[in-house]
Amino acid sequence: MSEHRRKPPQPQGGGRAASRRAGQRGTGRSAMPGRDVPTTSHSGPYGGPHGDQTAHGSRAEARRAGQRGSGRGRPDKRFINYPRSDKDGWQRFMPSWKLVGGTALGFFAIVTAGAGIGIAMVGTPDPHKAAKAQNNVYYWADNTQMAATGGSTNRQIVTIDKIPKSMRNAVIAAENASFETDKGVDPMGVARAVYNMATGGSTQGGSTITQQYVKNTFLNSEQTVKRKVTELFISIKLGVSEEKDTVLAGYLNTAYYGRDAYGIQAAARAYFGKDCNQLTPSESAFLAQVLKGPNLYNPDGGIGSAATPEANEERARQRWAWVLDREVEVGRMTPQERDQHKAAGFPKLVDSEQARSLTGQTGYLVETAKQYVMKTKNLTAEQMAQGGYRIYTTFQKPRVDALTKAVDDTRNDFLDPKKRPAHDTNVQFGAASVDVKTGAIVALYGGPGWDQKYFNNNANTTGVPVGSTWKPYVLAAAMEYGTQNSDGEGLSVDSKYQANDLTVINNRAGKPLRDASGKPFRQKNEGSFPYGYVTLNESMEKSINVPFAQLVFDVGHDKVRKVAKATGILNESMNPNNDASFALGTSTPSAIRMADSYATFAASGTHREPFSVTKVVQNGNELDGFAAPKAERAMDNAVADNVTKVLENVVQNGTGTKAKKLGRPAAGKTGTTDKNKSAWFVGYTPELSTAVTLFRTDPNAKVKTLESMNGTGGVDSIHGGDIPAVIWTDYMKAALKGTPVKDFPEAEDIGVTADSAGAPSPSPSPSPSPSPSETKKPEVSPSPSPTPSKGGKPSCKPWQWDCNSDAGTTTGTDNGGMSQGGNNGGPGGGSPSPSRSGKPGRPGGTTTGSTGSTDGSTDGSTIWGPTGEDTD
């Protein structure tokens, strides 16, 4: 029975309760025997109108009564009275003011004691230790030394009396106007940095000069709360124990100024060729502004697409003027002095010492490897400049030398800037060569050299349209995914497309595209020869525009982008517009990316990312992350091998016949854009893939634009099958000397023949070849005193489009993918017979028309300039 159920009433004079009460009376007070005395009173604690029933109540009530009695009747003996025993309900959990005050006082005491211990335990920075000289050493692929950068010349310590007042004023005004009165720390800046770390944001925050000095002396670059706390303790200690001049000198001696210069003395030498005590106020303002971030404020340029030399110089000029204004604002320069310095103009910088020491191609090789290391290990320019790295590259010196010689020989034969200054100046060459089996960059040509004041790496520069070298991606996409006419099957290169000049291009719905005026858009070829319907193989051979302009809509722009990306082309370098020109090469990948991408075809559809570094050692330890990139399947091997077969035909019978002189199996594609603003040849053997580009731009112009090469070299126009193909051939001969001749894999028959809409049925006979009289251009008269050909050079000048010393065959030319035809008017030989590949076709493309050029080229507004997007 439950303890809480009422018991039945007991008789008044009997039962156990009566006996117990009797016993209590006997022991408590005397009672007359036999006298009937009541056991309780109505007002007593146990009494009630119902006798024993009311006196007992429930046990819970009794327990609460006991607690009330002990809480208010007896003091709590606990050291901390929490929860509070003298309160009821929720009030028991409300701390008293004594508890709150005591806790706060105790916490403050612990923090104060901890800070005191922390400050006592940390030391003060030593700028001499931070300035230990180290350099970065770069090695060729055979482990011999290529170059060393940095070192003791860029790490020098000077005392405060050697630092001019103008430099101190400029830095204090720009970095920390309250420096001379603050205690060395900025609490809000510290809180901001801690918050940023906690939320995953940037660890950079507004800091005092003292804090920046402390940060500079940490050679360990990790960004952690522990490091920030340590920096805070050191800054506080410096703020109370060191003279301001000592702290300021320490900061200026350990700060990074760009150009591998640590410290004010090294920076003065690097930028102005003088000791720091000779700096003018204008030059001091420049060095103060570059401290905001050399990667973005050094006019030489930095790493990343936003750090071009042009963009950096513009930022540097604006901040230099701001520093001068800021000095006036905080009272460290008069307005009259500021106006004089601004009137004198931006200070003139000397050439970089590194640029002077890294001659020829070495500067471009070092910069390419440096960017690859920084990208792989996520290093800043300051961290890289601290030195101590041993960097082993993929660059092979014999092949770099061979590529340089091929460019120099052709330039000397082709250009005469003194005779033709309006046409032969500012002609730029760029090239890159990649190992097919690994993706390693074995050679590149970036330009005349840093020592010649040319700092743009033409091998790694985007902004130069690739022309018809883009067409293989359109063909590969059609083979891989099919078209809307192939019933879900991959397309055969025997499929026929209309190739006549000024043919109307239809969208996927079969409706004509519209130009800017609303009229049907008509695609232009280079010439007006009436080809009629030709196979895709012949279209590639002669680089005819119209078939590929239609094919890109039939297969879908998105599928072409997918194929190009799978082979290594970066999204940001692709033309984003879904127009006809997309198929004809308005995208702007670098030479490195084009060489690597074509290597995917050579490797039967296997792609490997390009890389330039095989090993990095720091302080005796090899860093991870530099293993060769893993191979990835980019496309079906049969598709890649068939693309190779088509591009072999381009070399044997089409616009790339100058490459036949290599004397071994080779495949490639020419590309030229409108008005000859760029010319390309990208080709490969089973061992090497190499891309060569030619363009004109003024390296000293603020805004770099591509200029027409019409008239360059004394000829009307330049094509990808001319100068670029000659350089490619000369280089590949030397680079592959002694390498056994190897054939490409045999291409199996794939795809179905699916002619474009409107093709006659049955298929027409092959188009007749145009007669030589219809297509041959007037022969260019040689200059009165031509430069003699070098040993081993072809007897024909490279710019003579109609000259071919091999059997005298004349071929078509290439301009933005626009072929004029030539004497090979028949269908290309060696095209595969149709068969089904089993590759499903997928919808894609767009219904919009061309919004830009009608001939696959860029207009005069094209902006050219290095963007850094490639830090391979």
Side-chain angles (χ1 to χ4, degrees):
M1 182 176 292
S2 171
E3 292 180 356
H4 299 287
R5 292 184 61 184
R6 293 181 179 177
K7 294 181 181 180
Q10 299 293 328
Q12 187 74 20
R16 292 183 181 179
S19 300
R20 185 164 57 250
R21 287 191 295 272
Q24 292 172 346
R25 286 194 298 270
T27 59
R29 62 175 68 172
S30 299
M32 294 298 294
R35 192 176 211 182
D36 190 5
V37 178
T39 57
T40 60
S41 68
H42 182 69
S43 61
Y46 304 104
H50 302 290
D52 189 55
Q53 177 181 345
T54 304
H56 280 79
S58 68
R59 292 189 180 184
E61 183 179 349
R63 185 165 59 251
R64 286 193 295 270
Q67 291 173 345
R68 287 193 296 269
S70 64
R72 296 180 179 176
R74 294 191 302 268
D76 195 302
K77 296 182 178 181
R78 292 176 296 173
F79 180 74
I80 299 177
N81 183 19
Y82 190 84
R84 298 176 66 180
S85 62
D86 56 341
K87 298 291 183 181
D88 293 330
W90 62 269
Q91 292 181 329
R92 298 180 65 226
F93 299 96
M94 289 294 294
S96 66
W97 67 268
K98 293 181 179 179
L99 181 60
V100 173
T103 302
L105 183 61
F107 179 77
F108 180 76
I110 293 172
V111 170
T112 301
I117 294 172
I119 293 173
M121 291 180 63
V122 298
T124 55
D126 184 350
H128 293 277
K129 290 182 179 179
K132 286 183 177 178
Q134 295 188 77
N135 55 20
N136 293 322
V137 182
Y138 295 81
Y139 298 90
W140 294 102
D142 63 2
N143 294 337
T144 58
Q145 184 171 323
M146 178 201 308
T149 64
S152 58
T153 57
N154 279 0
R155 293 171 182 266
Q156 301 172 40
I157 301 298
V158 293
T159 56
I160 191 67
D161 59 296
K162 299 294 185 181
I163 302 174
K165 185 69 173 178
S166 65
M167 185 65 199
R168 289 178 258 172
N169 285 336
V171 171
I172 291 174
E175 301 283 328
N176 182 192
S178 63
F179 168 71
E180 293 179 336
T181 58
D182 64 35
K183 299 301 182 183
V185 296
D186 175 10
M188 292 302 296
V190 174
R192 187 161 49 248
V194 172
Y195 173 78
N196 288 340
M197 281 189 290
T199 57
S202 171
T203 58
Q204 300 303 317
S207 299
T208 65
I209 285 177
T210 305
Q211 289 175 270
Q212 293 182 59
Y213 170 38
V214 173
K215 181 175 69 71
N216 291 343
T217 61
F218 268 88
L219 300 182
N220 182 354
S221 61
E222 65 176 359
Q223 297 290 342
T224 63
V225 173
K226 177 183 177 181
R227 171 176 164 168
K228 282 294 179 184
V229 171
T230 304
E231 289 180 0
L232 176 62
F233 286 159
I234 297 175
S235 299
I236 295 173
K237 187 171 185 176
L238 282 179
V240 299
S241 65
E242 292 287 356
E243 296 290 336
K244 288 294 184 179
D245 280 351
T246 302
V247 175
L248 182 59
Y251 171 59
L252 295 175
N253 278 313
T254 57
Y256 180 66
Y257 297 79
R259 288 194 173 183
D260 280 350
Y262 274 90
I264 182 62
Q265 172 64 10
R269 299 297 305 174
Y271 286 101
F272 301 110
K274 61 176 66 172
D275 292 331
C276 65
N277 61 356
Q278 299 174 335
L279 290 171
T280 68
S282 177
E283 293 167 344
S284 295
F286 170 86
L287 294 179
Q289 71 81 25
V290 84
L291 287 173
K292 184 169 178 65
N295 191 61
L296 294 177
Y297 290 87
N298 174 7
D300 298 340
I303 307 299
S305 59
T308 64
E310 296 78 23
N312 278 19
E313 180 171 343
E314 180 62 25
R315 276 189 291 265
R317 288 177 177 272
Q318 291 180 1
R319 186 161 177 84
W320 166 78
W322 177 86
V323 171
L324 293 174
D325 291 339
R326 179 66 174 164
E327 289 189 71
V328 173
E329 181 181 342
V330 299
R332 293 182 177 272
M333 180 181 286
T334 66
Q336 293 76 17
E337 290 175 314
R338 184 263 317 274
D339 294 342
Q340 290 176 359
H341 297 313
K342 284 188 174 182
F346 193 67
K348 183 176 176 59
L349 311 181
V350 300
D351 294 337
S352 168
E353 175 63 30
Q354 186 178 88
R356 293 193 296 269
S357 61
L358 299 179
T359 60
Q361 298 306 302
T362 308
Y364 309 117
L365 298 172
V366 165
E367 191 67 14
T368 300
K370 174 183 174 182
Q371 291 186 19
Y372 188 84
V373 172
M374 292 172 64
K375 180 179 179 181
T376 301
K377 300 304 294 184
N378 195 28
L379 299 176
T380 65
E382 291 88 339
Q383 292 165 354
M384 193 71 188
Q386 287 174 357
Y389 295 97
R390 300 293 180 264
I391 300 166
Y392 295 81
T393 75
T394 60
F395 304 127
Q396 300 174 10
K397 189 176 188 304
R399 284 175 167 171
V400 172
D401 292 342
L403 185 55
T404 303
K405 184 177 187 301
V407 173
D408 289 345
D409 286 350
T410 302
R411 178 196 287 113
N412 293 337
D413 281 350
F414 175 54
L415 299 178
D416 192 342
K418 293 182 179 180
K419 180 183 295 185
R420 295 178 293 270
H423 299 288
D424 287 9
T425 55
N426 299 328
V427 178
Q428 310 298 340
F429 298 80
S433 187
V434 171
D435 186 281
V436 167
K437 294 181 179 179
T438 65
I441 306 171
V442 299
L444 58 79
Y445 183 91
W450 285 10
D451 54 320
Q452 301 299 314
K453 299 183 180 181
Y454 191 86
F455 300 104
N456 299 309
N457 185 353
N458 293 340
N460 198 32
T461 296
T462 62
V464 181
V466 296
S468 290
T469 59
W470 192 259
K471 290 176 181 174
Y473 304 121
V474 183
L475 179 62
M479 289 180 174
E480 185 84 12
Y481 297 104
T483 68
Q484 58 187 10
N485 303 320
S486 66
D487 296 327
E489 299 289 346
L491 202 64
S492 166
V493 294
D494 284 340
S495 301
K496 295 182 177 63
Y497 271 69
Q498 173 62 259
N500 285 340
D501 188 37
L502 298 177
T503 295
V504 173
I505 304 300
N506 297 324
N507 60 25
R508 289 182 66 81
K511 298 182 181 298
L513 301 179
R514 300 289 173 179
D515 59 20
S517 65
K519 297 179 180 179
F521 168 73
R522 297 178 179 273
Q523 179 59 56
K524 182 174 177 53
N525 292 329
E526 182 181 14
S528 59
F529 180 79
Y531 291 102
Y533 282 83
V534 300
T535 65
L536 293 175
N537 188 58
E538 183 180 351
S539 298
M540 187 74 75
E541 172 193 316
K542 296 180 172 62
S543 202
I544 309 173
N545 280 351
V546 169
F548 289 97
Q550 183 60 60
L551 182 61
V552 75
F553 285 94
D554 291 350
V555 69
H557 292 73
D558 58 333
K559 298 301 183 294
V560 177
R561 289 190 179 93
K562 185 175 182 180
V563 166
K565 182 178 179 180
T567 65
I569 302 298
L570 301 178
N571 276 331
E572 52 266 33
S573 67
M574 295 189 208
N575 173 11
N577 300 315
N578 290 340
D579 51 26
S581 296
F582 174 77
L584 309 177
T586 49
S587 297
T588 59
S590 67
I592 290 176
R593 283 288 167 178
M594 289 299 290
D596 177 72
S597 176
Y598 269 47
T600 305
F601 299 132
S604 297
T606 298
H607 173 249
R608 295 170 177 84
E609 275 290 290
F611 67 104
S612 57
V613 175
T614 59
K615 183 173 67 173
V616 176
V617 177
Q618 183 186 32
N619 299 325
N621 299 317
E622 184 173 344
L623 306 184
D624 58 6
F626 294 97
K630 295 181 179 179
E632 297 180 353
R633 173 59 58 183
M635 66 185 70
D636 190 280
N637 64 306
V639 171
D641 292 341
N642 272 272
V643 171
T644 293
K645 186 173 183 179
V646 172
L647 297 186
E648 280 188 281
N649 184 54
V650 171
V651 172
Q652 292 299 316
N653 305 302
T655 58
T657 54
K658 289 190 184 298
K660 287 170 60 176
K661 295 179 181 179
L662 179 61
R664 61 171 70 215
K669 185 67 188 77
T670 58
T672 313
T673 54
D674 186 37
K675 298 180 182 178
N676 281 178
K677 289 184 178 179
S678 64
W680 287 77
F681 186 80
V682 186
Y684 53 90
T685 67
E687 301 83 13
L688 283 180
S689 178
T690 302
V692 179
T693 183
L694 184 71
F695 56 93
R696 281 190 73 202
T697 189
D698 183 357
N700 299 315
K702 275 194 171 184
V703 179
K704 292 182 173 58
T705 58
L706 293 177
E707 303 172 8
S708 173
M709 291 187 291
N710 288 337
T712 297
V715 299
D716 291 338
S717 60
I718 307 297
H719 296 84
D722 299 329
I723 303 301
V726 170
I727 293 173
W728 184 92
T729 305
D730 288 349
Y731 161 71
M732 293 290 277
K733 277 184 178 180
L736 295 173
K737 185 176 182 181
T739 302
V741 175
K742 184 178 179 181
D743 290 324
F744 290 110
E746 185 174 352
E748 63 182 83
D749 292 342
I750 63 170
V752 296
T753 301
D755 298 340
S756 67
S761 182
S763 298
S765 58
S767 304
S769 301
S771 64
S773 61
E774 291 177 307
T775 61
K776 187 173 180 180
K777 296 182 180 179
E779 184 173 348
V780 178
S781 301
S783 58
S785 56
T787 304
S789 299
K790 303 289 178 71
K793 301 291 290 182
S795 58
C796 297
K797 291 296 183 183
W799 55 90
Q800 292 178 298
W801 71 274
D802 57 349
C803 173
N804 192 321
S805 59
D806 290 346
T809 305
T810 56
T811 64
T813 58
D814 175 87
N815 188 355
M818 302 174 290
S819 175
Q820 190 174 352
N823 291 334
N824 295 301
S831 59
S833 58
S835 65
R836 301 179 69 84
S837 69
K839 289 291 177 184
R842 299 179 180 86
T846 180
T847 59
T848 60
S850 175
T851 58
S853 169
T854 61
D855 53 7
S857 63
T858 55
D859 59 26
S861 63
T862 300
I863 302 300
W864 178 88
T867 65
E869 294 173 352
D870 295 299
T871 57
D872 306 274

